[in-house]
Amino acid sequence: MLPIDAAAHSSRWRHRHPLEKAVLGLGLTVLAITLPAWPGAPLVAAATLAVLLGPAGVPVRRLWRAFRLPLGFCVTGAVPLLFRVGGPGGGLVALDPAGPAHATQLLLRTSAASLGLLLFAFTTPVSDVVPRLVRAGVPPAVVDVALVTYRMSFLLLDSVSRVGQAQAARLGHNSRAARWRSLAGLGATAFVRAFDRAGRLQTGLAGRGYDGTLRVLVPATRVSGRFLTATAALLAGVTALTLVLEGLVT
């Protein structure tokens, strides 16, 4: 199981309805995109961090490990805005005078929006969300494929890890040539095992009377009116504070 999935299953909000956490996490994400980058994005990021580290109880180290990857994409996407192609000087590539401001705005927005998505991911297991998508109008076949893919991915990751450990124990990573041979063998083994597991899954489902729909027992939870009220108050407070501070700055 991936660390973020393990954190979602052990979260304090594990038994809350996914709709509550979706409204909070996606609401903060929308604010990070729509509000002015300054001071809106820093305020959204601060509010999201306060919820993640406070009521949600996400450990700082685990949050940082998960946030590093999207933060790298945010930085990578902001760097090209520092340059422009062509211009009055005739150069092919030159620094854009407005580039630092645009890059900073993009970095603030994307990093704050990533934290909002991580809030939902760290508190809501995929197994709680996907089965409920049928009630939202998603075709059952799409939901079934998503569930099977989600569960098969962990089995394949476990197989890849075990094969890699076995190769390392047999000096399969001792040299560059050995690493390439081990990588090729790892890919071939994972490919064969994926088809083998898929075949066994199909046989097992057929033996249990599979009729085209995977029926999953979803725990019964109620949407909390207090939680949604507190979420609306938080989103409204961040929006109002952003507009007030923006007016003072301008």
Side-chain angles (χ1 to χ4, degrees), residues 198-212 214:
R200 285 190 287 170
L201 177 62
Q202 183 179 4
T203 303
L205 290 175
R208 291 168 175 80
Y210 177 64
D211 59 355
L214 291 174

Side-chain angles (χ1 to χ4, degrees), residues 71-98:
L71 181 60
F73 281 103
C74 296
V75 174
T76 304
V79 168
L81 296 181
L82 299 174
F83 306 94
R84 65 181 180 184
V85 179
L92 182 61
V93 178
L95 290 174
D96 189 356

Side-chain angles (χ1 to χ4, degrees), residues 90-131:
L92 182 61
V93 178
L95 290 174
D96 189 356
H102 294 159
T104 302
Q105 292 179 3
L106 179 64
L107 182 60
L108 290 175
R109 289 184 186 277
T110 52
S111 57
S114 299
L115 285 174
L117 295 177
L118 285 177
L119 172 60
F120 181 74
F122 264 107
T123 56
T124 311
V126 176
S127 57
D128 286 354
V129 179
V130 176

Side-chain angles (χ1 to χ4, degrees), residues 137-162:
V138 179
V142 176
V143 175
D144 292 347
V145 171
L147 281 174
V148 172
T149 304
Y150 173 71
R151 293 172 180 175
M152 286 288 292
S153 62
F154 291 106
L155 296 175
L156 292 178
L157 287 175
D158 181 67
S159 297
V160 169
S161 177
R162 291 176 182 270

